[in-house]
Amino acid sequence: MDPEKMDVVREEAISPSNEPIQQNQVFHKEPLHRDPHGLPVIPQPTAHKDDPLNWHPALKLSVCLQVSWLALLGPLSAAVANPSFVLMSHTFGLSVEEASYELTVFLVCAGVGPLAVVPFANAYGRRPVYLLGNLIAAITNIIAGYCDTWAGIMITRVFNGLGAGAVIAMGAATICDLYFVHQRGVYMGIYTLALTSGAHVAPLLGGFIAQSLGWRSCFYIPGYIQLGTFVLTLFSLPETRYSAAHRSDSTPYLEQTYFQNLVFKRSKAPGRRPNLRDFYRPFEMLKLVAILCPAVLYMACFGYGTVLFALTGAKLFTTLYGFTTAQTGLMLSIPLLLGGITGEFSAGWVTDWLSNRHAKRNNGDRLPEARLTAIYGALFVPVGVIIEGVCLSHSETVSWVGSAFGMGIANMGLQIATTTIYAYATDVSSSAEISTIFNAFRQIFSCLISFYAIPFAERIGIQYAWLTFAIIVVILLIPVVFLKFQGPKWRNLPSQKPPL
């Protein structure tokens, strides 16, 4: 795309209605906005103050941090109970694997739920989804803490997943609402770091909470935190969905105030009620190689770079190293947190730098594939998985430190892959369905790990099971590497145009 040839009027980055602008509409011409390097920004902002692209940087950052906190809080509230699977199994007379199915149910519902929610968010706004989804997650977590039956626990996990999943699926779309393409890597990195770190902060808290207060507290304490967050976002998280499509000479334009963005006053987007196609539009995006291949790689990196450790750690570290619940929580938290933070230092700003460097060398052409140079960092995922598998297989002679090192390496690769893939995919298409697709792939794939990881390891050995998982990641990385070189050619094929 040549920015100089773009219409100077911004088309909606994430269309709530997915309807093309009528050709006979007349728009005001505006000056071409440029970045600090003198290159035209993408997308071009309007002249209106209520355009999120024109908001004050402090307000943008505030929204980014709130959305990131919500993305962290959903997985955190679900994973606080992970170190207490052993305690829960004793309470309900289950095996540890069966106790872990409460997390499995959450993952499935968190992946499937947003598919039905995003069309309404596109039509009526993202703010109601953030608020209602987080409120549902809070209430169901609190109820779970007081459940006396396993059936009650599982029912709350269903609704908790639906609520938290809807919130998680909106984050990338909101970042696209707020920031230009040349800025998205950094702020998408903040969001993705929060998204992946929630499940890593959780065991750090969950281990000590479960050991000191019991497993029930692992549910209602995060629930009360979510409830407090609901009150905070009710007064501080504005609507970011915006469209300039009705800015014709004959149509008066009334800007919305910050307060109006808080009281659910519908914005001036070319709105309509969701139709049937809106609900299967995410599946239409799967025809795009530039979306499908990164989505498949991302689900494998996420599943084997973090969820594998969360679902197997309680049993393996208790059995092999005799860890207490608190020690298991520390093991499932600190290495992964350090790995994720280290990985992000090599991800968000790096992808922006790669994109800007390519644009400066090519007359402002911001090629999405320029960001994919950073995808090689995803190789840390299989390296770390192999290290942990070998160390666990030789637990009698190898310290737990080796496993912790492997987990950290794997999560470092996951963070690099996550930020790079999100930044690349939203450059290809800023559609809100992108985040929904990634969320669905990630959650559904991750939930299946609990059914086969331990049985597979018991059959062929941990070392070879983990090696198999590592090979899967490497194989799925190959198509994305091809995208780096062939992506522009493939995306120009008629069959690879994003659906309207």
Side-chain angles (χ1 to χ4, degrees):
M1 180 188 303
D2 185 352
E4 296 287 356
K5 296 180 181 179
M6 292 175 55
D7 183 11
V8 294
V9 179
R10 172 193 170 204
E11 294 185 8
E12 186 180 16
I14 303 176
S15 172
S17 64
N18 292 295
E19 292 179 341
I21 298 174
Q22 299 299 319
Q23 293 182 356
N24 61 355
Q25 283 185 286
V26 180
F27 297 101
H28 296 291
K29 296 296 181 181
E30 299 169 359
L32 195 67
H33 295 262
R34 299 180 181 273
D35 66 16
H37 302 289
L39 302 174
V41 298
I42 301 174
Q44 285 287 307
T46 68
H48 298 136
K49 294 181 180 179
D50 61 346
D51 183 346
L53 290 172
N54 292 327
W55 286 357
H56 190 280
L59 177 56
K60 289 186 179 184
L61 182 60
S62 171
V63 174
C64 175
L65 292 178
Q66 289 180 75
V67 170
S68 299
W69 169 247
L70 288 169
L72 180 146
L73 201 54
L76 182 149
S77 65
V80 165
N82 288 359
S84 65
F85 285 158
V86 174
L87 299 178
M88 293 173 66
S89 68
H90 293 161
T91 300
F92 295 103
L94 306 170
S95 67
V96 177
E97 290 86 351
E98 289 172 330
S100 72
Y101 292 164
E102 65 88 12
L103 179 61
T104 301
V105 170
F106 169 87
L107 293 173
V108 172
C109 295
V112 175
L115 295 174
V117 172
V118 167
F120 293 99
N122 286 340
Y124 303 111
R126 314 199 197 288
R127 174 172 158 80
V129 174
Y130 282 126
L131 294 176
L132 184 60
N134 184 52
L135 181 62
I136 291 173
I139 293 173
T140 52
N141 263 330
I142 294 172
I143 293 175
Y146 296 97
C147 282
D148 293 321
T149 65
W150 186 245
I153 294 287
M154 297 298 276
I155 291 173
T156 63
R157 295 304 86 200
V158 170
F159 290 99
N160 188 266
L162 294 175
V167 171
I168 294 170
M170 288 287 98
T174 301
I175 299 299
C176 292
D177 290 341
L178 297 170
Y179 294 103
F180 302 107
V181 169
H182 73 278
Q183 300 172 320
R184 286 180 189 169
V186 171
Y187 297 100
M188 197 69 76
I190 294 174
Y191 166 73
T192 58
L193 179 61
L195 178 63
T196 57
S197 296
H200 307 153
V201 175
L204 181 63
L205 304 175
F208 290 102
I209 291 175
Q211 187 165 293
S212 302
L213 302 175
W215 64 265
R216 295 182 183 276
S217 299
C218 293
F219 289 107
Y220 59 70
I221 288 179
Y224 287 124
I225 294 175
Q226 287 175 307
L227 200 59
T229 298
F230 168 78
V231 176
L232 175 66
T233 53
L234 183 63
F235 297 102
S236 61
L237 182 61
E239 178 60 61
T240 63
R241 185 181 64 92
Y242 178 87
S243 173
H246 280 173
R247 293 191 318 123
S248 66
D249 288 330
S250 61
T251 303
Y253 186 92
L254 299 177
E255 292 185 351
Q256 290 190 172
T257 65
Y258 178 82
F259 177 75
Q260 287 173 323
N261 279 330
L262 290 178
V263 295
F264 304 102
K265 179 171 181 175
R266 191 171 180 179
S267 65
K268 301 155 290 300
R272 59 170 174 77
R273 293 180 179 178
N275 58 35
L276 180 61
R277 189 185 175 209
D278 292 329
F279 292 93
Y280 64 79
R281 192 180 304 278
F283 300 101
E284 292 182 343
M285 301 295 292
L286 296 180
K287 75 174 185 178
L288 306 181
V289 176
I291 301 302
L292 178 61
C293 292
V296 173
L297 173 62
Y298 172 54
M299 76 176 188
C301 287
F302 191 87
Y304 298 133
T306 180
V307 176
L308 174 67
F309 309 134
L311 292 175
T312 63
K315 179 175 182 177
L316 293 178
F317 292 119
T318 300
T319 303
L320 300 178
Y321 294 106
F323 279 8
T324 64
T325 302
Q327 289 173 325
T328 300
L330 291 171
M331 187 68 173
L332 296 178
S333 176
I334 294 178
L336 298 173
L337 276 176
L338 293 177
I341 294 171
T342 303
E344 188 51 45
F345 279 120
S346 304
W349 73 270
V350 174
T351 66
D352 278 346
W353 178 78
L354 291 168
S355 177
N356 292 332
R357 183 183 67 169
H358 184 276
K360 286 187 287 185
R361 293 178 177 180
N362 294 273
N363 299 319
D365 181 20
R366 294 192 176 277
L367 189 69
E369 284 74 18
R371 296 187 187 270
L372 288 182
T373 302
I375 199 63
Y376 296 111
L379 287 171
F380 284 116
V381 175
V383 170
V385 170
I386 291 172
I387 291 174
E388 200 218 18
V390 171
C391 292
L392 290 176
S393 296
H394 300 83
S395 59
E396 295 181 356
T397 57
V398 178
S399 168
W400 57 265
V401 175
S403 296
F405 183 75
M407 291 165 61
I409 292 292
N411 200 65
M412 181 172 69
L414 167 62
Q415 188 57 46
I416 295 173
T418 301
T419 299
T420 302
I421 287 172
Y422 266 89
Y424 168 71
T426 51
D427 278 4
V428 172
S429 173
S430 294
S431 170
E433 282 78 12
I434 297 298
S435 185
T436 307
I437 292 170
F438 286 175
N439 180 68
F441 273 54
R442 175 186 69 232
Q443 303 291 62
I444 294 174
F445 181 81
S446 296
C447 81
L448 299 176
I449 294 176
S450 63
F451 294 106
Y452 66 81
I454 294 295
F456 189 44
E458 290 175 345
R459 183 170 183 176
I460 69 171
I462 297 176
Q463 177 174 315
Y464 296 107
W466 269 229
L467 175 61
T468 302
F469 302 151
I471 292 174
I472 292 173
V473 174
V474 173
I475 292 174
L476 296 179
L477 175 61
I478 295 174
V480 180
V481 173
F482 275 108
L483 269 179
K484 171 177 167 50
F485 301 101
Q486 299 296 324
K489 178 180 177 181
W490 292 345
R491 287 189 292 105
N492 286 327
L493 296 174
S495 63
Q496 294 297 299
K497 300 298 182 182
L500 294 176

